[in-house]
């Protein structure tokens, strides 16, 4: 039997209502803040991610689904949404619009990671980006909006971790300082960390290795090396979150998987999730648009995983799908089938959820099936345009003209 590829999953009808809750909540909460929906292609030129996300990142080094399109062009299934949105911003001249340009998206993303609970090779993210402003209000607004979305979906996000990475210049200086520190403690580091001191020393903070973690506790922290403008920006972000009553923890060890971040970075985590505890996160990426050959354009954004949100939300109430009307046929005969077909169509046009018997069951079988579906009413279409309308709640039934079926149901459903 052919199965779905490893790390992927089918979204079955049972989970549609929960996923719709995420989408509707995002639409409402982000829409109310002036964010407008954008969708970009599922694949992009590989260079967009190599340049945008960063050559040295795990995403680019190990996790991209990259292929040749047959015409010698290298394409990649998108592993993240920020670089594509920035590409679209430039491609459509959005810098000529009033800034900031506020956008949100919801779609599938792809990373060749080792699958486990909450970590898939195809997953969905909802994301928001505010492009063309560097004010701390923007960062705080985005963080508050993500908190509201998580709340609306019922996510128990226990922690908001917050940090600032400063500017690339500060980071470059700090990087050297950190590299010197790591070299001085090489013998206590995990092999993987030691081999990447020169390529990406920041990832040492991310290591699961005990020895490395012990070394990193005393490592120099970027937060202590911020220049005055970055420190003031970060202080203002924090003040705004304090005013908004949103608790956070300063976490100087917070590292994110993309190179494009500058200044503010943040992540919401939930203990409901186990090892893959990140529900959503993001930060400021003031240099990304320039990396993509655009003009200097400060921006900030986040992405949250739909599956992780739903895992962290636990059991959401299942809104039952009500069937208002099941159209049964007294006998099979051309006239009845046509009348039943037409009645079902009209019922749907009148706004009812209506289903027609489609498998040729006996009348008894049809009534049993209607009961299983939870149908509120059954209309048994018989000879000569007469139907028996049965109220499945009270068990009452009466004969009526087929034309009266829909009005009767609409009247009945308006009653308390
Ligand atoms: P990132 O784009 O890495 O900042 O991730 C943002 C969010 O997307 C994370 O907090 C997760 O909720 C979700 N996410 C990232 N990678 C995966 C994955 N492989 N499977 C499921 N969700 C993911």
């Amino acid at each position: 039997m052919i199965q779905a590829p490893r790390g992927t999953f089918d979204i079955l009808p049972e989970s549609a209502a929960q996923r719709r809750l995420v989408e509707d909540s995002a639409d409402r909460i982000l829409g109310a803040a002036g964010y407008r929906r954008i969708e970009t292609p599922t694949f992009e030129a590989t260079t967009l991610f190599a340049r945008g996300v960063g050559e040295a990142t795990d995403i680019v080094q190990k996790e991209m689904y990259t292929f040749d399109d047959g015409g010698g062009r290298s394409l990649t299934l998108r592993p993240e949404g920020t670089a594509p949105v920035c590409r679209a911003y430039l491609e459509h001249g959005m810098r000529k619009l009033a800034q900031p340009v506020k956008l949100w998206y919801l779609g599938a993303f792809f990373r060749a990671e080792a699958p486990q609970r909450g970590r898939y090779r195809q997953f969905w993210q909802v994301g928001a980006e505010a492009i063309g402003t560097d004010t701390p209000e923007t960062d705080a607004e985005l963080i508050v909006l993500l908190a509201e979305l998580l709340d609306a979906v019922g996510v128990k996000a226990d922690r908001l971790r917050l940090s600032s990475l400063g500017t690339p210049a500060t980071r470059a200086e700090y990087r050297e300082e950190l590299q010197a520190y790591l070299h001085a403690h090489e013998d206590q580091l995990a092999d993987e960390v030691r081999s990447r001191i020169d390529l990406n020393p920041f990832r040492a903070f991310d290591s699961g290795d005990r020895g490395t973690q012990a070394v990193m506790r005393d490592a120099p922290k970027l937060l202590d090396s911020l220049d005055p403008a970055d420190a003031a920006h970060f202080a203002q972000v924090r003040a705004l979150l304090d005013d908004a009553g949103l608790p956070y923890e300063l976490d100087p060890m917070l590292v994110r998987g993309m190179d494009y971040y500058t200044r503010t970075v943040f992540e919401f985590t939930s203990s409901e999730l186990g090892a893959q505890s990140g529900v959503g996160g993001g930060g400021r990426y003031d240099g990304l648009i320039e990396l993509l050959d655009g003009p200097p354009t400060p921006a900030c954004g986040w992405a949250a995983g739909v599956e992780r949100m739903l895992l962290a939300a636990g059991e959401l109430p299942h809104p039952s799908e009500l069937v208002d009307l099941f159209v049964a046929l007294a006998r099979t005969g051309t006239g009845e089938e046509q009348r039943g077909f037409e009645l079902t169509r009209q019922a749907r046009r009148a706004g009812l959820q209506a289903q027609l018997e489609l498998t040729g069951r006996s009348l008894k079988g049809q009534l049993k099936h209607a009961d299983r579906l939870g149908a509120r009413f059954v209309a048994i279409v018989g000879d000569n345009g007469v139907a028996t309308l049965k109220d499945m709640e009270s068990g009452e039934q009466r004969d009526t003209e087929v034309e009266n079926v829909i009005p009767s149901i609409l009247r009945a459903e308006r009653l308390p």
Side-chain angles (χ1 to χ4, degrees):
M1 256 227 304
I2 300 173
Q3 297 189 325
R6 199 167 128 71
T8 70
F9 51 88
D10 298 305
I11 299 169
L12 299 175
E14 291 80 63
S15 59
Q18 303 195 342
R19 299 180 74 95
R20 198 175 322 117
L21 174 67
V22 174
E23 181 162 6
D24 291 350
S25 303
D27 189 40
R28 176 171 51 79
I29 291 166
L30 296 169
Y35 289 73
R36 295 161 70 218
R37 180 120 181 211
I38 185 171
E39 291 304 335
T40 58
T42 303
F43 52 83
E44 296 268 0
T46 302
T47 46
L48 174 64
F49 303 112
R51 254 205 270 170
V53 175
E55 292 282 5
T57 59
D58 276 355
I59 290 182
V60 172
Q61 290 223 320
K62 309 188 213 161
E63 296 171 3
M64 297 207 301
Y65 287 100
T66 296
F67 57 98
D68 185 298
D69 74 347
R73 281 166 297 261
S74 177
L75 299 176
T76 293
L77 296 184
R78 57 182 185 180
E80 63 94 54
T82 302
V85 167
C86 290
R87 190 230 359 102
Y89 172 90
L90 288 171
E91 191 168 328
H92 300 282
M94 290 190 222
R95 64 199 191 85
K96 293 193 207 90
L97 304 176
Q99 306 292 297
V101 173
K102 301 198 217 176
L103 301 167
W104 76 276
Y105 57 83
L106 172 65
F109 294 85
F110 307 84
R111 292 182 197 172
E113 297 191 86
Q116 61 179 86
R117 182 171 183 262
R119 191 164 73 195
Y120 313 102
R121 293 182 169 170
Q122 174 172 355
F123 54 97
W124 269 253
Q125 281 187 340
V126 50
E129 319 283 355
I131 305 176
T133 172
D134 67 358
T135 61
E137 288 74 16
T138 310
D139 309 37
E141 172 178 282
L142 277 159
I143 294 171
V144 167
L145 287 170
L146 178 51
E148 273 175 33
L149 175 61
L150 296 176
D151 195 47
V153 177
V155 173
K156 296 172 209 70
D158 333 285
R159 294 172 70 196
L160 164 58
R161 296 155 69 212
L162 183 70
S163 189
S164 174
L165 301 177
T167 49
T170 315
R171 256 170 111 189
E173 265 173 47
Y174 168 73
R175 185 190 166 99
E176 282 177 23
E177 192 188 342
L178 181 62
Q179 280 169 334
Y181 176 85
L182 291 173
H183 280 303
H185 295 82
E186 261 184 40
D187 52 337
Q188 292 151 263
L189 300 176
D191 290 345
E192 214 218 1
V193 175
R194 192 180 325 120
S195 66
R196 298 181 70 188
I197 294 180
D198 295 315
L199 190 62
N200 194 348
F202 302 116
R203 296 313 297 267
F205 286 112
D206 245 1
S207 171
D209 171 67
R210 281 268 183 94
T212 305
Q213 286 174 350
V215 172
M216 297 323 285
R217 270 192 282 280
D218 296 323
K221 303 286 160 15
L222 182 55
L223 263 186
D224 302 325
S225 333
L226 296 184
D227 78 25
D230 293 343
H233 188 277
F234 191 47
Q236 179 64 5
V237 173
R238 283 176 358 227
L240 290 163
L241 294 179
D242 291 338
D243 288 349
L246 191 64
Y248 55 83
E249 296 162 36
L250 281 190
D251 185 350
M253 312 264 237
L254 180 59
V255 203
R256 305 213 13 99
M258 297 81 168
D259 276 357
Y260 50 60
Y261 287 115
T262 52
R263 293 190 157 178
T264 316
V265 285
F266 56 92
E267 184 164 72
F268 286 87
T269 56
S270 169
S271 56
E272 304 282 314
L273 289 174
Q276 299 302 315
S277 63
V279 189
R284 184 159 276 291
Y285 48 92
D286 292 342
L288 176 55
I289 298 215
E290 251 179 304
L291 271 180
L292 303 178
D293 297 328
T297 311
C300 189
W302 50 253
V306 172
E307 293 75 32
R308 294 238 189 121
M309 280 195 260
L310 293 177
L311 277 173
E315 274 303 296
L316 292 170
H318 275 273
S320 52
E321 280 172 44
L322 289 180
V323 176
D324 300 306
L325 172 64
F326 185 82
V327 177
L329 306 174
R331 281 179 294 117
T332 39
T334 333
E336 290 166 14
E337 275 158 9
Q338 283 179 351
R339 273 200 201 94
F341 193 84
E342 188 51 31
L343 173 61
T344 315
R345 257 166 35 99
Q346 284 180 0
R348 290 172 190 158
R349 276 202 220 113
L352 300 174
Q353 211 282 26
Q355 297 199 36
L356 174 67
E357 167 57 24
L358 292 174
T359 59
R361 290 180 180 86
S362 67
L363 182 56
K364 198 170 153 219
Q366 294 179 61
L367 289 171
K368 216 170 127 190
H369 183 56
D371 195 41
R372 217 168 21 219
L373 288 174
R376 179 74 179 77
F377 292 94
V378 176
I380 305 161
V381 178
D383 277 339
N384 311 321
V386 175
T388 305
L389 183 60
K390 182 166 182 186
D391 181 330
M392 299 292 275
E393 251 173 49
S394 65
E396 279 167 36
Q397 62 179 62
R398 66 188 167 86
D399 289 348
T400 181
E401 303 285 309
V402 170
E403 292 78 57
N404 284 334
V405 166
I406 295 169
S408 302
I409 292 174
L410 292 174
R411 266 197 308 276
E413 293 210 325
R414 264 200 302 273
L415 295 177

